[in-house]
Amino acid sequence: MSTKNGSKYEDDMELRRGPWTLEEDTLLIHYIACHGEGRWNQLARCSGLKRTGKSCRLRWLNYLKPDVKRGNLTPEEQILILELHSKWGNRWSRIAQHLPGRTDNEIKNYWRTRVQKQARQLKIDANSAVFRDAVRCFWMPRLLEKMASSPPSAENLNPNYADLLGHTPQEGLFPHTALFSTDLQATFVNSRPCYELSGLENCSPCISSETTMGVVQPADIAQEFSQTPSDAVGNLLLQQYDALLTGHQSNSSCGQAGPGVVAPTPASCSAAVGSLVYDYSALANCGADNTLDSLWSMDELWQARKLENWGI
DNA sequence: AATACTTGCAACCGCAACCTT
DNA sequence: AAAGGTTGCGGTTGCAAGTAT
């Protein structure tokens, strides 16, 4: 009887494992050139390769096939992966179908080595809503910036790219950043040229008061409400976030707009959320009793509220 | 210079769906 | 309809190369 997935042939002969040699590659390429790809077990039997059909298939599809693209993923490919993964999860082969020349294995490796690494460093679950938002609002804009500085080559992208995402990348790809004012996005991009997710702890001090969106300095709010700066920021943020979600001004403890505090508007809410979401460490610096962890917890609260408001 | 640790990636494994007989 | 074979997918592992100590 043969093994579960193999054939009697595989049991009868000693099979090679591990890295492929140049000779094996040549043999496989030559065989496929003559007979075409597919029927992998037959190929394994007839080609003279002492490999399983599975191994031959994998080597061909992931490495030898002529249209397999080598080298680093471009920013636009990375954006596409991030976006499609947020839609489909770990459906690597499905995602790979939309990145010509890239294999599911390569995409999977990218996700595990780069994306999950960032999540680990931030101590967040890579599949959590918090991390997805961080990727959308923070990482993607950075990739966009890279794309802008080196325009993507059209042939790199699947022609169905825009259709696939349901909108044009520039306008609708990042709904969160679309909420943010152009000024604010520019502030993000321009003020943090070295921003990477792993570099959160190095980000510049606290909220910018330079935007036109009415975002105030935490210290101002603290003075106004006799709270520690970080508490004040947290409360203001929650209040404004509520307003953003519900479409009206909330009556929470910080509800009254005092000097230096503007009544929440969609724009100011966006700005507040946009400023704060990524400035955890800066916030931590504002309040002696607030650690990065507690601020992340705060973010989870926003997430919970958001889901609650959306009836999820 | 030597060693330990980390990273990136190719390859393997088990499983499930699909195909063939 | 059932059994065996094949293919494809997602998770995991092993290892070479690079980096830090």
Side-chain angles (χ1 to χ4, degrees):
Chain A
M1 188 58 192
S2 68
T3 53
K4 198 169 182 181
N5 289 313
S7 64
K8 188 170 189 304
Y9 164 80
E10 289 171 13
D11 290 343
D12 288 346
M13 67 181 298
E14 197 167 319
L15 290 168
R16 273 187 50 76
R17 301 163 61 86
W20 281 63
T21 64
L22 183 61
E23 289 74 23
E24 287 177 308
D25 282 348
T26 307
L27 207 50
L28 181 56
I29 290 168
H30 181 72
Y31 186 92
I32 290 175
C34 294
H35 301 92
E37 59 180 280
R39 293 164 299 175
W40 298 106
N41 285 333
Q42 185 187 332
L43 179 154
R45 281 191 297 272
C46 304
S47 63
L49 287 161
K50 294 177 179 178
R51 297 272 182 172
T52 65
K54 259 177 121 165
S55 181
C56 295
R57 172 184 169 272
L58 205 66
R59 182 65 179 171
W60 175 254
L61 294 177
N62 284 344
Y63 199 84
L64 297 175
K65 201 172 178 181
D67 56 4
V68 170
K69 204 187 287 179
R70 318 300 308 172
N72 293 337
L73 293 162
T74 64
E76 55 266 36
E77 286 174 324
Q78 292 178 53
I79 285 178
L80 198 48
I81 291 170
L82 295 171
E83 181 64 21
L84 294 180
H85 186 274
S86 75
K87 270 172 103 169
W88 296 331
N90 297 359
R91 301 288 303 278
W92 308 119
S93 62
R94 190 172 178 187
I95 293 170
Q97 286 169 12
H98 299 283
L99 285 103
R102 301 297 186 182
T103 67
D104 54 353
N105 211 33
E106 190 173 10
I107 293 166
K108 182 169 57 183
N109 281 333
Y110 168 75
W111 185 265
R112 293 187 63 81
T113 59
R114 311 286 177 79
V115 182
Q116 287 198 329
K117 187 179 89 177
Q118 299 289 359
R120 272 198 309 276
Q121 287 177 347
L122 292 167
K123 295 182 177 138
I124 333 169
D125 178 2
N127 295 315
S128 69
V130 171
F131 185 69
R132 274 199 301 276
D133 277 357
V135 166
R136 276 179 164 273
C137 302
F138 183 74
W139 198 343
M140 286 184 173
R142 290 289 300 156
L143 290 169
L144 262 187
E145 188 194 2
K146 287 184 185 173
M147 283 173 64
S149 61
S150 56
S153 50
E155 69 271 20
N156 283 345
L157 292 177
N158 188 311
N160 295 326
Y161 179 62
D163 289 346
L164 186 76
L165 299 171
H167 37 56
T168 60
Q170 289 75 18
E171 290 174 5
L173 183 53
F174 314 112
H176 292 67
T177 52
L179 279 172
F180 306 156
S181 71
T182 309
D183 283 352
L184 189 69
Q185 291 181 53
T187 303
F188 264 100
V189 169
N190 296 331
S191 66
R192 298 177 178 87
C194 299
Y195 245 3
E196 294 295 342
L197 275 176
S198 58
L200 276 177
E201 48 285 323
N202 299 320
C203 67
S204 58
C206 229
I207 305 169
S208 165
S209 59
E210 294 168 9
T211 71
T212 57
M213 311 311 295
V215 178
V216 298
Q217 293 288 356
D220 296 337
I221 311 169
Q223 195 176 5
E224 182 69 20
F225 297 104
S226 304
Q227 295 169 308
T228 64
S230 51
D231 285 345
V233 169
N235 282 332
L236 177 71
L237 177 69
L238 289 172
Q239 174 205 351
Q240 297 206 342
Y241 206 77
D242 279 342
L244 175 66
L245 293 168
T246 58
H248 58 75
Q249 187 172 342
S250 79
N251 294 316
S252 63
S253 58
C254 288
Q256 280 185 309
V261 180
V262 296
T265 64
S268 67
C269 293
S270 301
V273 173
S275 296
L276 290 168
V277 160
Y278 309 108
D279 248 346
Y280 296 105
S281 60
L283 283 173
N285 291 335
C286 295
D289 55 349
N290 271 21
T291 63
L292 210 53
D293 282 347
S294 69
L295 290 160
W296 276 116
S297 301
M298 198 163 77
D299 188 65
E300 282 169 6
L301 177 57
W302 308 337
Q303 293 295 335
R305 289 189 178 207
K306 182 169 69 179
L307 295 177
E308 197 178 299
N309 275 281
W310 289 346
I312 297 169

